[in-house]
């Protein structure tokens, strides 16, 4: 009798994640990352759509020299929702409110996630983190251990 162990089928995570907390727009952060890290991030034509119409902007650059793919992903999606309130009268009151969703809900203070895929030497994360912390409009940045996230499915989008 043979026994299959589920762990044998789970892929190792081959990317590094950096959480970035700042108050600037996505395109501005992409520009600053390009400038400080020597990247060439460009906005993808299609945003990431996840679950209940949440939409997250994504920038990407494939570094063919280092065999690495860089992605800058927004962690916050704000959508306007109509809520119909019946006040038991002849008139139905319709209210609008903004709903905030997070791509990685464990890190609600993180505005953006920088994903470094296929880093053969596993050294780019530390170098990138030090340079990101030099960017004037960035409040803080830190490494995120992808193995400790509850779900990593939403970070697979290639």
């Amino acid at each position: 009798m043979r026994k299959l162990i589920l762990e044998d089928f789970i892929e190792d995570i081959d990317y590094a994640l950096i959480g970035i907390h700042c108050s600037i727009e996505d395109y501005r952060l992409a520009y600053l990352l390009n400038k400080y890290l020597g990247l060439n991030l460009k906005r993808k034509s299609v945003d990431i759509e996840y679950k209940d119409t949440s939409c997250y902007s994504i920038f990407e650059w494939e570094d063919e020299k280092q065999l690495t793919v860089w992605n800058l992903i927004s962690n916050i999606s704000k959508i306007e929702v109509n809520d119909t309130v019946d006040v038991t009268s002849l008139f139905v009151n319709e209210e609008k409110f903004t709903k905030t969703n997070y791509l990685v809900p464990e890190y609600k203070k993180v505005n953006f996630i920088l994903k470094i895929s296929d880093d053969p030497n596993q050294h780019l994360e530390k170098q990138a983190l030090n340079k990101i912390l030099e960017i004037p409009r960035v409040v803080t940045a830190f490494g995120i251990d992808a193995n400790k996230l509850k779900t990593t499915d939403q970070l697979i989008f290639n």
Side-chain angles (χ1 to χ4, degrees), residues 6-7 18 25 53 72 80 88 101-102 120 129 145 149 158:
L6 182 61
E7 291 175 7
I18 297 175
E25 296 292 327
T53 67
L72 175 66
E80 199 168 277
T88 62
N101 295 312
Y102 300 92
L129 185 56
D145 186 355
L149 296 176
N158 285 340

Side-chain angles (χ1 to χ4, degrees), residues 14-16 66-68 116-125:
D14 63 344
Y15 54 85
Q66 297 277 342
L67 302 174
T68 306
I116 308 167
S117 301
D118 305 322
D119 180 8
N121 302 321
Q122 301 292 315
H123 71 284
L124 293 175
E125 179 185 6

Side-chain angles (χ1 to χ4, degrees), residues 36-126:
Y36 279 77
L37 276 69
L39 305 178
N40 193 13
L41 291 166
K42 293 183 181 174
R43 177 95 186 236
K44 289 186 82 170
S45 58
V46 179
D47 290 342
I48 298 171
E49 290 187 18
Y50 184 70
K51 287 195 175 176
D52 46 28
T53 67
S54 300
C55 190
Y56 304 91
S57 63
I58 180 168
F59 295 76
E60 184 173 88
W61 178 53
E62 292 185 36
D63 183 356
E64 294 174 5
K65 199 181 240 185
Q66 297 277 342
L67 302 174
T68 306
V69 178
W70 297 76
N71 293 108
L72 175 66
I73 312 112
S74 173
N75 189 41
I76 299 171
S77 174
K78 294 188 177 189
I79 55 173
E80 199 168 277
V81 179
N82 292 327
D83 188 22
T84 305
V85 180
D86 184 9
V87 285
T88 62
S89 69
L90 296 174
F91 303 102
V92 175
N93 190 10
E94 195 169 289
E95 294 180 14
K96 289 186 178 184
F97 66 95
T98 303
K99 183 178 179 186
T100 303
N101 295 312
Y102 300 92
L103 187 65
V104 181
E106 295 94 327
Y107 291 95
K108 291 183 178 181
K109 299 283 184 190
V110 169
N111 302 88
F112 299 96
I113 296 171
L114 184 64
K115 178 182 172 187
I116 308 167
S117 301
D118 305 322
D119 180 8
N121 302 321
Q122 301 292 315
H123 71 284
L124 293 175
E125 179 185 6
K126 188 170 183 174

